[in-house]
């Protein structure tokens, strides 16, 4: 065989890809486990699950579990099972989210609810959620079960809180942070924590990684919510503007609302009451821009990344903490 | 205070009520736990959960857990937590089922999805499901966690199988039994098994109680499916006829289909393809009656009850196994 040696271009590799390369053996085992454990004699289950799991997700949450385990001394097969469980909990949440939001696109593909219907999405989500617990039980660790089961109920609580807040038309910063900590950051934190615990890490490392995950998760959601308004370019694509249309008060809207007066404030109140008119989104983008609301949201994300990296400093130096810090920066920087 | 002593009329107490009376202390503790553990700062969660949990369910599944625990020597607080977890898994399933079936009535009350919407039902179901796992973790028993987590994924698998079977318009007896074993009987079996294990029962008792639960669950679903065609009276009320309308091939339909020829068979094929016409339900009831399909369904239920009671004979004699046997008979007999 004729092999051509290609030089590695450091700039073409994202920190996520670099982390995936370092964790290649356990990540490959996790991919195999994901495939094996979504199998079922009921063909609709793997059909729906594969659609979502294969849709080009970056496996960020399982990577966190594997990275936390490796940096704390390993974790072996238990870490692989936990990483798989974390991905299944995440996938189940996405399936149910898309039903709840009536979404038709995710990661550029038609959503499962659009292809197979809401019923299949609800039930296959339930299956993946239950399967996640099967995997956790197999690790024989009540401690990680406790952490991930608590994260699971926190996620559901956050989703219900978001639903209730949206239907009341609230625009509250503290309520927003409560929602994103529960629905997003809790699983990032639990993914890190479970990985550390399964590797037998001392309490100090476990807590450091949990803080890292929590702050990374908050930043991740803030960036996601900034991108839904087109990020700094504030140009909307076909996957953006959903939060505004659904009347979800995310941080860019909340900051613009806080900084608005007079007519602008009346505009937001009408929007939050979901009395939409044509051209509302353009007016919203223009007010957001005038008040620097997207930039302010990204700045809050940067603050959380800073806290995430400070937590990492409590771990012994090594390639994994370095890559985790790079990954944390990358979550915000690639969009600024 | 002037107390009038009322004689107890034995015939006015159902076996379920008798069992509840014998298990009164742990059942009261379970009711308290159910109330306490559906609490959440997110008010929509207890609102939706209470609506369903207070709707006059008989707590049959938690009763099985408590009965199994008591007859095997106790179980204490762990049995109470497991009974609560079992009720939460059941309630989560009901919430999601009503969304999937688009139901508007359950136990004579408007369904949660009708009052609060599908979104709230999906998400509160997720919360109760996660909360069930929190409770199980608190029992510190990986063994019961394993059993209930497997039951949870089996239930979801059964629900998806039912969805796929219905959408294909199949009327297969083996497929039907696969569905009801998974979606209903698996939780009855796991409820019994978990109770026995948490009380430290020997394997023989655990297996006997698991078989009892499985067969009771099969009979319970068969009776439920017979009642959806009005039971032996075959008079439909406002809560009946749903399976037929939804194109679900339950055993009464399958038996009538098996015993039909010519025009009758063509009728069923049209119905299974969901090409409904006015008056279909009356014709269905008339063909069911001609072939004794409801009576045959109830006879299969009786056979499962017989097997359930045979399994009970492996337990030491006592008031609980006697009441469980009465309860098993009652599941079929009160409708014949």
């Amino acid at each position: 065989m004729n092999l051509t040696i290609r030089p590695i271009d450091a700039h073409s590799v994202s920190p996520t890809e670099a982390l995936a390369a370092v964790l290649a053996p356990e990540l490959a085992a996790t991919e195999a486990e994901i495939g094996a454990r979504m199998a079922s004699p009921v063909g609709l289950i793997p059909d729906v699950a594969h659609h979502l799991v294969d849709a080009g997700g970056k496996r960020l949450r399982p990577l966190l579990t594997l990275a936390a385990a490796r940096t704390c001394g390993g974790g072996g097969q238990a870490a692989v099972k936990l990483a798989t469980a974390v991905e299944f909990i995440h996938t189940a949440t996405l399936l149910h989210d898309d039903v709840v939001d009536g979404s038709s696109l995710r990661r550029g593909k038609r959503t499962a609810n659009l292809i197979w219907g809401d019923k299949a999405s609800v039930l296959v989500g339930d299956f993946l959620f239950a399967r996640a617990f099967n995997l956790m039980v197999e690790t024989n660790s009540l401690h990680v079960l406790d952490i991930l089961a608590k994260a699971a109920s926190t996620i559901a609580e956050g989703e219900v809180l978001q639903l209730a807040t949206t239907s009341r038309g609230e625009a509250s910063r503290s309520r927003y942070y409560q929602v994103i900590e529960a629905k997003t950051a809790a699983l990032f934190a639990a993914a890190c924590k479970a990985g550390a615990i399964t590797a037998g890490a001392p309490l100090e490392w476990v807590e450091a990684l949990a803080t890292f995950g929590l702050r990374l998760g908050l930043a991740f959601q803030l960036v996601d919510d900034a991108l839904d308004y087109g990020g700094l370019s504030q140009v909307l694509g076909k996957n953006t503007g959903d939060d505004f249309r659904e009347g979800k008060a995310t941080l860019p809207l909340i900051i613009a609302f806080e900084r608005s007066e007079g007519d602008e404030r009346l505009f937001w109140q009408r929007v939050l009451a979901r009395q939409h008119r044509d051209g509302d989104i353009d007016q919203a983008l223009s007010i957001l821009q005038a008040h620097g609301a997207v930039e302010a949201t990204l700045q809050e994300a940067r603050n959380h990344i800073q806290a995430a990296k400070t937590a990492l400093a409590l771990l012994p130096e090594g390639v994994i903490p370095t890559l985790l810090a790079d990954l944390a920066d990358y979550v915000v920087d690639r969009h600024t």
Side-chain angles (χ1 to χ4, degrees), chain A:
Chain A
M1 202 158 45
N2 200 346
L3 286 175
T4 310
I5 295 168
R6 284 187 305 152
I8 293 171
D9 176 1
H11 295 286
S12 74
V13 176
S14 74
T16 322
E17 289 162 339
L19 196 59
V22 171
L23 298 166
E26 49 264 63
L27 189 60
T30 303
E31 290 292 344
E33 190 79 6
I34 287 173
R37 302 307 287 272
M38 62 171 68
S40 162
V42 184
L44 187 55
I45 291 175
D47 288 352
V48 174
H50 271 293
H51 176 76
L52 213 71
V53 167
D54 299 349
K58 294 171 300 298
R59 306 277 190 267
L60 186 53
R61 295 159 191 79
L63 265 179
L64 292 176
T65 302
L66 298 174
R70 173 88 79 92
T71 205
C72 294
Q77 187 55 21
V80 168
K81 283 182 192 288
L82 290 175
T84 306
V86 163
E87 184 70 0
F88 279 3
I89 291 175
H90 174 56
T91 308
T93 310
L94 295 185
L95 279 168
H96 287 186
D97 268 3
D98 284 342
V99 170
V100 166
D101 293 338
S103 309
S104 52
L105 271 182
R106 173 170 296 278
R107 297 169 184 162
K109 283 176 74 174
R110 298 202 307 151
T111 54
N113 45 310
L114 203 73
I115 300 173
W116 289 278
D118 285 356
K119 303 178 182 192
S121 286
V122 169
L123 298 177
V124 174
D126 289 349
F127 173 80
L128 289 175
F129 196 57
R131 184 47 53 94
F133 280 93
N134 299 153
L135 282 154
M136 293 179 227
V137 169
E138 290 171 20
T139 67
N140 287 319
S141 163
L142 279 162
H143 195 171
V144 296
L145 262 157
D146 185 38
I147 284 156
L148 285 167
K150 277 181 181 145
S153 55
T154 299
I155 293 168
E157 222 161 8
E159 299 275 2
V160 179
L161 183 61
Q162 176 170 267
L163 181 69
T165 308
T166 304
S167 76
R168 280 197 299 269
E170 277 180 26
S172 144
R173 180 184 282 261
S174 67
R175 188 55 56 97
Y176 170 77
Y177 265 105
Q178 233 181 314
V179 166
I180 70 166
E181 177 166 337
K183 76 164 192 171
T184 307
L187 187 58
F188 276 73
C192 290
K193 209 168 171 177
I197 288 169
T198 206
L203 188 60
E204 195 190 340
W205 298 3
V206 173
E207 288 308 321
L209 281 159
T211 301
F212 171 77
L214 185 78
R215 295 298 197 128
L216 179 69
L218 291 172
F220 183 87
Q221 188 62 55
L222 286 164
V223 170
D224 204 54
D225 291 345
L227 290 179
D228 201 63
Y229 285 98
L232 285 181
S233 75
Q234 295 210 246
V235 176
L236 296 191
K238 62 178 177 173
N239 285 321
T240 51
D242 285 346
D243 293 338
F244 184 77
R245 275 187 290 273
E246 292 160 14
K248 276 185 198 158
T250 58
L251 195 60
L253 187 154
I254 293 167
I255 289 174
F257 180 75
E258 287 169 349
R259 296 177 182 181
S260 291
E261 290 179 346
D263 282 353
E264 284 182 357
R265 190 156 265 255
L266 291 174
F267 167 77
W268 293 120
Q269 282 161 350
R270 179 169 63 71
V271 159
L272 287 168
R274 269 173 298 179
Q275 294 161 345
H276 285 293
R277 294 183 200 154
D278 281 352
D280 272 354
I281 182 76
D282 296 323
Q283 192 174 348
L285 286 173
S286 137
I287 305 177
L288 257 71
Q289 191 124 44
H291 294 299
V294 168
E295 174 51 37
T297 299
L298 292 172
Q299 186 51 49
E300 292 204 19
R302 272 183 219 104
N303 296 344
H304 289 294
I305 290 302
Q306 198 46 55
K309 291 198 293 182
T310 303
L312 281 183
L314 297 167
L315 297 175
E317 282 181 24
V319 63
I320 301 271
T322 305
L323 286 172
L324 285 174
D326 290 351
L327 183 147
D329 282 328
Y330 182 71
V331 160
V332 184
D333 290 347
R334 68 185 168 134
H335 301 295
T336 53

